Amino acid sequence: MPRLPRPFRTYVRATIIAILSLILLPEAPCDAAETVQLSDSLHVYRGPINVGILRSGDAALLFDCGDGTVADALPNLGVTKVEKILFTHHHRDQACGAPQFVAKGAGLVVPHAERAWFDDVWFFKGRDPFRT
């Protein structure tokens, strides 16, 4: 089996570390958000939800975006543009801040199995979750 190119292997490793960090690091209280550096280019914003930040120069890929308060922490990391947001799953608390990033040109990457929930959020708004 051929080896993957080195830059790709680096991003795969960083992605795995970010996802594990999102799962394993406890979330910070809303009034005590902080950014934890895991490597030169990988950070976790510990706010209402954990948000992974993979930085390349002044651009970033976010893993989830929460309520969008991560935007306030990005300039401190030298990030001026969010290129994409990769959603790990659909929950309102994971995605409610996305419109502010999309308005500035960020692309969204969502799980295929949950795409309808991202595409047609108004269909699900107001539905009784306990009815079938």
Side-chain angles (χ1 to χ4, degrees):
M1 178 177 203
R3 285 182 63 99
L4 297 170
R6 185 177 175 91
F8 185 74
R9 288 194 318 259
T10 301
Y11 283 113
V12 168
R13 273 191 226 117
T15 301
I16 291 168
I17 291 169
I19 291 171
L20 288 174
S21 298
L22 292 172
I23 294 168
L24 300 175
L25 284 175
E27 295 171 356
C30 291
D31 60 346
E34 65 175 329
T35 304
V36 177
Q37 183 172 2
L38 303 177
S39 73
D40 289 340
S41 59
L42 187 61
H43 298 77
V44 174
Y45 173 78
R46 294 184 59 232
I49 68 151
N50 289 331
V51 176
I53 306 164
L54 182 61
R55 188 176 52 80
S56 177
D58 65 349
L61 164 76
L62 300 182
F63 297 89
D64 299 318
C65 67
D67 63 358
T69 56
V70 65
D72 298 334
L74 296 176
N76 296 335
L77 303 175
V79 173
T80 60
K81 179 172 178 58
V82 173
E83 296 282 339
K84 293 191 186 301
I85 304 170
L86 184 140
F87 287 100
T88 58
H89 64 288
H90 185 277
H91 277 166
R92 287 183 183 152
D93 64 337
Q94 302 285 35
C96 62
Q100 70 175 306
F101 294 107
V102 171
K104 294 179 181 178
L108 303 179
V109 180
V110 302
H112 178 73
E114 299 180 2
R115 180 157 182 183
W117 295 341
F118 286 91
D119 284 346
D120 196 5
V121 71
W122 294 112
F123 174 77
F124 298 98
K125 184 177 172 144
R127 291 188 68 192
D128 182 347
F130 301 106
R131 289 191 142 180
T132 56

